[in-house]
Amino acid sequence: MRVNQGKCSNRLSIVSTPIGNAEDITLRALSVLKEADLIACEDTRVTSKLLAIHQIHTPLISYHDHNAEQVRPRIIEALKQGQSIALVSDAGTPLISDPGYKLVRNCVEEGLHVVCVPGPCSVLAALTLSALPTHSFYFAGFAPAKSKARQVFFSDLLGVPGTLIFFESARRLSDSLTDMMTVFGNRQAVVARELTKKFEEIRKDQLQGLINFYATHGAPKGEIVVLLDAGGPQPRKDQDLDELLKIVLEQKSLRDAVELVATTTGVSRRRIYERALFVQAAADEPS
Ligand code: SAM
């Protein structure tokens, strides 16, 4: 095992920072942040607080979605001049639904050295606490905000043979769970909230159970990761199959839609085909 201390010039370091508990930062992250010439961060106010806790005085430059096109060439130029630059996000691992991918791509294209200083990431924290299978998983990021687009987004993931992981806002959680129920059926699901913080909570139930819970108790507060079991075949009523087929038939041919829905629901191709014809006929009826 290598112990890496001292200044690492001429490189971009991707540094993970805490997702809620300030103590979740590695020794290496602290030394890289201390030794860097510059730290590129999303919000200088957020990163200043972290640096103050650890008495780090490295200068900051903001690098976020709205200024990335202007700032990226300056970072690349500084790296070429031999500076060492650390990239952090507001919390967790940069590049994971956070800025940085294009910066890393540019560095690689320019032959600049990039290193990773691994640490907290809400995706893996949620997965490891979910008690869902971990041998195969698919991180899908944030689903679209509008219900129709969200259903299409979910339907593209129907055949994924592993645990599905999504980011979601507390405000949209109930609507999103309802759309998941429409597309995936009543799968086992987990809402992982406020991980590593004081009010950390893991709530696991069938989707319908979670929908009922939040309908009764109201929207939760805080940051949320939603996980869905890959699920086996679920019993589905004709009406549920029709809802799903309506979404899938907008993206795929009759043949492909029948194949996908039959495979993922475990319902016979014959029954799915009949429902698909019914859905198509209903859609063609003049209103
Ligand atoms: N790059 C970050 C990471 O590695 O965790 C994720 C950044 S993304 C913009 C922010 C989203 O991550 C939040 O909306 C929430 O879905 C999830 N998240 C971040 N911290 C969390 C926490 N402590 N508990 C639950 N979810 C969290």
Side-chain angles (χ1 to χ4, degrees):
M1 191 163 280
R2 193 174 73 157
V3 179
N4 199 357
Q5 301 275 323
K7 189 161 171 128
C8 313
S9 60
N10 202 19
R11 66 174 53 174
L12 177 72
S13 303
I14 311 295
V15 182
S16 295
T17 57
I19 57 168
N21 186 325
E23 291 187 358
D24 291 334
I25 187 148
T26 68
L27 297 174
R28 183 168 165 231
L30 291 175
S31 80
V32 168
L33 292 175
K34 202 170 196 165
E35 296 297 330
D37 294 303
L38 193 61
I39 298 172
C41 62
E42 277 185 277
D43 184 335
T44 52
R45 290 164 303 182
V46 173
T47 301
S48 297
K49 284 186 196 154
L50 177 71
L51 298 190
I53 293 172
H54 299 287
Q55 291 162 11
I56 294 172
H57 307 290
T58 309
L60 298 174
I61 179 176
S62 72
Y63 181 74
H64 49 66
D65 287 342
H66 305 292
N67 73 0
E69 296 304 315
Q70 291 81 47
V71 175
R72 200 179 309 123
R74 285 165 49 197
I75 295 177
I76 296 284
E77 194 45 42
L79 287 164
K80 284 183 180 168
Q81 300 293 326
Q83 295 208 4
S84 73
I85 299 186
L87 175 72
V88 299
S89 59
D90 283 350
T93 300
L95 280 79
I96 306 302
S97 295
D98 271 337
Y101 151 66
K102 288 184 181 168
L103 179 59
V104 171
R105 189 180 63 184
N106 269 202
C107 285
V108 171
E109 283 164 0
E110 298 278 352
L112 294 162
H113 193 183
V114 182
V115 296
C116 171
V117 182
C121 179
S122 57
V123 179
L124 294 185
L127 179 65
T128 52
L129 290 175
S130 68
L132 292 173
T134 53
H135 56 277
S136 175
F137 61 90
Y138 184 98
F139 169 59
F142 285 99
K146 296 222 166 98
S147 177
K148 174 104 182 147
R150 195 160 51 215
Q151 291 181 350
V152 171
F153 176 84
F154 289 152
S155 72
D156 282 339
L157 304 172
L158 264 171
V160 174
T163 299
L164 294 175
I165 309 177
F166 304 93
F167 284 160
E168 192 47 278
S169 72
R171 198 165 48 86
R172 280 202 278 268
L173 178 67
S174 291
D175 290 346
S176 198
L177 292 173
T178 303
D179 287 336
M180 285 180 187
M181 176 80 181
T182 303
V183 173
F184 297 109
N186 198 14
R187 286 191 190 183
Q188 187 75 211
V190 172
V191 174
R193 196 169 69 82
E194 294 288 90
L195 295 167
T196 76
K197 303 184 199 177
K198 187 173 175 191
F199 295 107
E200 176 175 289
E201 178 187 54
I202 306 295
R203 186 165 293 282
K204 186 172 189 181
D205 201 342
Q206 304 285 116
L207 275 170
Q208 189 60 63
L210 290 173
I211 292 167
N212 296 345
F213 178 85
Y214 293 114
T216 310
H217 294 85
K221 292 200 169 74
E223 295 194 282
I224 287 172
V225 180
V226 180
L227 304 96
L228 272 191
D229 193 13
Q234 307 284 339
R236 304 251 195 161
K237 293 190 281 227
D238 279 355
Q239 199 188 347
D240 297 340
L241 288 173
D242 295 356
E243 279 295 306
L244 175 56
L245 279 161
K246 248 187 253 170
I247 299 163
V248 178
L249 278 165
E250 280 188 26
Q251 323 303 316
K252 297 187 186 296
S253 66
L254 177 69
R255 195 186 146 139
D256 289 350
V258 170
E259 182 59 32
L260 177 66
V261 174
T263 311
T264 51
T265 58
V267 177
S268 73
R269 274 176 188 67
R270 190 191 163 95
R271 182 168 158 221
I272 297 294
Y273 182 67
E274 283 169 9
R275 295 316 309 168
L277 291 181
F278 172 80
V279 167
Q280 278 193 329
D284 289 343
E285 260 175 30
S287 44

